[in-house]
Amino acid sequence: MRERFLKRTLFVSICFVVCCSAVCAQQTTGRVHAFIISGGMNKLMNHERYWNDCAFLYRTLREDYRLSPQDITLLISDGGEPGRDMLLEDGSGFATSPADLDGDGQRDVWLPATLSQVETSLTEQSTRLTPQDHLFLFLVDHGGSEDGWLSYAWMWGGERLYATRLAELLDAFHVASMSIVVGMCHSGGFIDELWRENRIIITSSTAGEQSWACSDRPYDEFVYHWTCAIAGHDPEGNKINADADGDGHVTMAEAFNYACQHDRREETPQYCSVPMALGEQWSFSQQHGNGIDDKFIESGNISHSCYDLQGRQVPIRIETKRKYLKILNVKQSFGLSPIIIIK
């Protein structure tokens, strides 16, 4: 398997990706469906930082990119049950993982991250997505490997999700493209089994390495910086700029580069994009060409169409009686309230 993997020349085992702005990969016009999965293994091993990683990403997808709850499948430890399932990061004891990830008072987590439930959820969703859609999968957890190469993630209850089994589940999807982010020890071993045409795979370490937590905050190091990159801010709201080419969109390649540059631990993140242009061009904010360009703002052409990540047309309103200029685009607005352009 190792020899076969080394012959695959499209795999990029480097910490930085050179983004080629001259290549323009066409974005699909379908929906995005996201899976956020954190098994945790058991309450002795289910660190609080895993919940924090998932909650930060969930808030980013909901608030910054306007994905609906119906387009995010959450499978986290015991599924939000009232029992104490989470080891506190300060070592003081155990707590119940909050089922509300975004603090709005509504339960978000309903499904446990058991092996059987992960298999069921992925299988069910594979029958719903279309060839125009994009699948995003985020997997953070404890990880391991057999023979130093075949990687796996620990699911709730102590079962293992092997990279080979995840490959089978993902191969059932017939979508335009996939983005997969794996943050755990030995995560690089997932690449050899998961890589296919029109997929982006990002891992926090090589197949033979451990992956580490942040030393100064209750998150995992690599995925924390990766989520900061796509969010454009840290969990406290401090601005982050990972948009290397200044085009207003953070691509998967730009997010990977930013996370690598800011990763302070002894780990070697991995990146694979087939074709290479996919990762250099694909971003959540560009999924429908959502940006509102300067020409549109200057012309005041309110017939311009903007869409959210579910393909719904979003109304636009121009206001002129303001003392300052502020542009709200689809990425920044919430719900289906109008996008306001202040001239």
Side-chain angles (χ1 to χ4, degrees):
M1 179 183 298
R2 189 182 184 95
E3 181 180 356
R4 172 169 55 88
F5 170 74
L6 292 174
K7 292 179 180 178
R8 294 175 176 170
T9 59
L10 289 174
F11 168 62
V12 181
S13 58
I14 57 175
C15 289
F16 301 100
V17 181
V18 178
C19 296
C20 179
S21 60
V23 179
C24 183
Q26 184 176 0
Q27 299 280 342
T28 65
T29 57
R31 298 163 53 199
V32 175
H33 190 91
F35 275 85
I36 299 177
I37 304 173
S38 177
M41 192 176 180
N42 56 51
K43 76 173 188 177
L44 293 172
M45 302 297 289
N46 185 32
H47 294 281
E48 179 184 3
R49 66 178 183 268
Y50 298 152
W51 186 93
N52 291 339
D53 295 333
C54 294
F56 183 19
L57 177 60
Y58 180 74
R59 292 194 305 270
T60 297
L61 296 179
R62 290 282 294 117
E63 298 169 8
D64 295 309
Y65 291 104
R66 306 180 68 248
L67 264 71
S68 70
Q70 292 73 30
D71 277 294
I72 305 175
T73 299
L74 297 166
L75 299 111
I76 298 177
S77 59
D78 68 354
E81 294 302 309
R84 295 184 178 183
D85 65 329
M86 180 174 68
L87 177 64
L88 295 175
E89 210 65 23
D90 62 6
S92 62
F94 301 95
T96 300
S97 298
D100 176 12
L101 297 189
D102 56 5
D104 65 355
Q106 302 296 315
R107 180 172 177 172
D108 301 309
V109 181
W110 294 91
L111 300 174
T114 59
L115 179 61
S116 62
Q117 185 59 64
V118 169
E119 291 176 329
T120 297
S121 296
L122 284 169
T123 300
E124 290 178 350
Q125 197 59 234
S126 70
T127 66
R128 298 170 184 164
L129 297 187
T130 73
Q132 289 74 46
D133 296 334
H134 180 87
L135 176 67
F136 171 74
L137 187 143
F138 179 84
L139 181 60
V140 62
D141 202 348
H142 286 291
S145 69
E146 290 186 358
D147 301 324
W149 197 252
L150 179 58
S151 296
Y152 58 82
W154 287 104
M155 297 290 97
W156 185 251
E159 293 184 286
R160 298 175 179 181
L161 174 60
Y162 284 92
T164 48
R165 178 56 178 148
L166 182 57
E168 294 172 350
L169 294 166
L170 295 182
D171 284 347
F173 285 84
H174 301 286
V175 293
S177 56
M178 292 186 192
S179 296
I180 303 161
V181 177
V182 186
M184 61 184 66
C185 296
H186 307 284
S187 52
F190 278 84
I191 293 177
D192 188 49
E193 302 300 333
L194 299 185
W195 85 273
R196 303 285 189 276
E197 190 75 16
N198 296 318
R199 289 188 187 178
I200 305 160
I201 308 170
I202 293 171
T203 69
S204 60
S205 66
T206 67
E209 284 182 329
Q210 290 183 310
S211 184
W212 300 93
C214 296
S215 60
D216 54 355
R217 54 178 68 91
Y219 294 87
D220 283 288
E221 178 78 8
F222 177 80
V223 296
Y224 169 80
H225 293 296
W226 183 87
T227 306
C228 284
I230 66 164
H233 56 79
D234 65 17
E236 290 73 42
N238 300 306
K239 187 175 180 180
I240 300 292
N241 183 15
D243 180 15
D245 60 7
D247 68 349
H249 307 283
V250 177
T251 66
M252 295 297 102
E254 287 176 322
F256 176 80
N257 283 344
Y258 177 89
C260 282
Q261 292 166 0
H262 290 81
D263 193 320
R264 302 159 296 178
R265 305 307 301 265
E266 292 297 321
E267 55 192 16
T268 311
Q270 304 286 286
Y271 176 94
C272 175
S273 176
V274 183
M276 186 62 71
L278 181 65
E280 294 170 350
Q281 296 295 322
W282 200 94
S283 68
F284 286 104
S285 58
Q286 280 185 316
Q287 181 67 1
H288 293 282
N290 293 331
I292 305 173
D293 61 30
D294 293 338
K295 291 182 180 178
F296 165 65
I297 296 170
E298 293 171 1
S299 69
N301 178 14
I302 59 173
S303 64
H304 182 92
S305 295
C306 277
Y307 299 86
D308 69 5
L309 290 176
Q310 276 42 264
R312 300 170 296 185
Q313 188 166 357
V314 182
I316 299 172
R317 184 171 74 246
I318 294 179
E319 297 185 4
T320 57
K321 296 181 180 180
R322 299 289 180 91
K323 295 181 179 179
Y324 56 91
L325 174 66
K326 184 178 181 182
I327 302 171
L328 299 180
N329 62 18
V330 169
K331 176 182 172 182
Q332 296 168 317
S333 61
F334 184 80
L336 286 177
S337 57
I339 300 166
I340 302 173
I341 299 177
I342 304 166
K343 292 185 67 180

